[in-house]
Amino acid sequence: NAGVMQNPRHLVRRRGQEARLRCSPMKGHSHVYWYRQLPEEGLKFMVYLQKENIIDESGMPKERFSAEFPKEGPSILRIQQVVRGDSAAYFCASSPDRGREAGELFFGEGSRLTVL
Amino acid sequence: AQSVAQPEDQVNVAEGNPLTVKCTYSVSGNPYLFWYVQYPNRGLQFLLKYITGDNLVKGSYGFEAEFNKSQTSFHLKKPSALVSDSALYFCAVREGGSGNNRLAFGKGNQVVVIP
């Protein structure tokens, strides 16, 4: 059973370009969470999605960042007009649909974005 | 708001000695607590969780954690540390509402096991 798959693992962009990060959850999981980890810092929540719905975007920056989880295909985190401060590791996590049980999150290996 | 604190930056321990990584929490209501480990350039791996029940929770790789309500702590422990346990350890608490497994993480503790 494949784990959470993220690609690309490493991405280099110049300031002003767009970055697209993809995440395929574990098989049978319908919930996706995106986190950002800045150097020497912990993980910060960005957004929580289910298929075709954004459930919680309380951690998303107001501008330049967007996320989607279409009916078919992976979840995508999109960063427009990247700046150097966007350089970070972006982690995707998934969880199964267990209703109200506090289940653990299963993390991917991360996508490391470097903005030149 | 739900939060956790990991008061130490780095924990150094000799191989074979007991390992403890500290975590305290601040929540309204019942806490759902987690420990994760991160190896260099890797994702987070789940170690264990406390939701309800026994205060001593056993997890992966010989780790365990003790939930202490009076001290609002959830310290991670291992009786005998291995060099391969050197990694970054994160404590986390569920901060989402019902049906939302959003976690809030502590800043992490770097554990260095000295051969």
Side-chain angles (χ1 to χ4, degrees):
Chain A
N1 189 14
V4 178
M5 303 301 292
Q6 289 190 248
N7 67 84
R9 290 292 309 277
H10 300 275
L11 182 64
V12 178
R13 286 288 180 265
R14 297 189 180 280
R15 282 179 296 169
Q17 292 184 319
E18 178 180 288
R20 284 190 179 225
L21 310 177
R22 288 175 290 277
C23 169
S24 296
M26 287 181 68
K27 186 176 180 180
H29 289 194
S30 58
H31 303 244
V32 166
Y33 301 75
W34 284 94
Y35 282 80
R36 176 165 61 177
Q37 184 178 32
L38 293 169
E40 307 302 323
E41 294 187 19
L43 278 79
K44 302 298 183 185
F45 169 77
M46 300 182 75
V47 63
Y48 162 38
L49 310 101
Q50 295 179 19
K51 286 284 188 180
E52 300 185 282
N53 284 302
I54 296 175
I55 307 301
D56 180 354
E57 56 182 348
S58 58
M60 283 284 268
K62 298 297 182 203
E63 299 177 344
R64 301 188 298 108
F65 285 73
S66 63
E68 63 177 7
F69 190 13
K71 185 177 180 180
E72 300 292 337
S75 175
I76 295 174
L77 180 68
R78 181 184 179 200
I79 311 172
Q80 296 178 289
Q81 299 174 332
V82 297
V83 301
R84 288 206 174 120
D86 297 333
S87 295
Y90 292 83
F91 289 96
C92 171
S94 70
S95 68
D97 186 5
R98 293 179 178 171
R100 297 184 178 186
E101 179 183 337
E104 62 268 29
L105 300 183
F106 296 83
F107 281 82
E109 295 289 281
S111 292
R112 283 156 182 82
L113 172 66
T114 301
V115 180
L116 301 178
Chain B
Q2 323 287 61
S3 66
V4 291
Q6 295 180 247
E8 301 163 317
D9 288 328
Q10 181 164 309
V11 176
N12 296 323
V13 61
E15 185 178 22
N17 281 4
L19 169 63
T20 299
V21 190
K22 296 180 180 178
C23 174
T24 59
Y25 64 87
S26 175
V27 302
S28 56
N30 295 322
Y32 298 150
L33 298 162
F34 302 78
W35 275 101
Y36 283 83
V37 60
Q38 184 181 31
Y39 296 98
N41 298 313
R42 304 295 300 277
L44 275 70
Q45 297 180 30
F46 169 76
L47 285 177
L48 50 80
K49 67 180 177 183
Y50 172 84
I51 297 177
T52 187
D54 291 340
N55 289 341
L56 185 63
V57 180
K58 293 189 183 297
S60 306
Y61 311 121
F63 284 94
E64 59 187 30
E66 185 171 7
F67 173 71
N68 188 316
K69 189 173 183 178
S70 62
Q71 297 185 4
T72 61
S73 67
F74 189 56
H75 300 333
L76 181 71
K77 299 180 181 182
K78 186 170 184 178
S80 178
L82 302 172
V83 173
S84 57
D85 293 328
S86 298
L88 192 56
Y89 290 80
F90 290 99
C91 182
V93 63
R94 191 176 88 159
E95 62 174 354
S98 177
N100 181 346
N101 286 330
R102 184 181 88 215
L103 300 181
F105 286 87
K107 65 179 176 61
N109 283 131
Q110 184 67 49
V111 169
V112 177
V113 181
I114 303 164

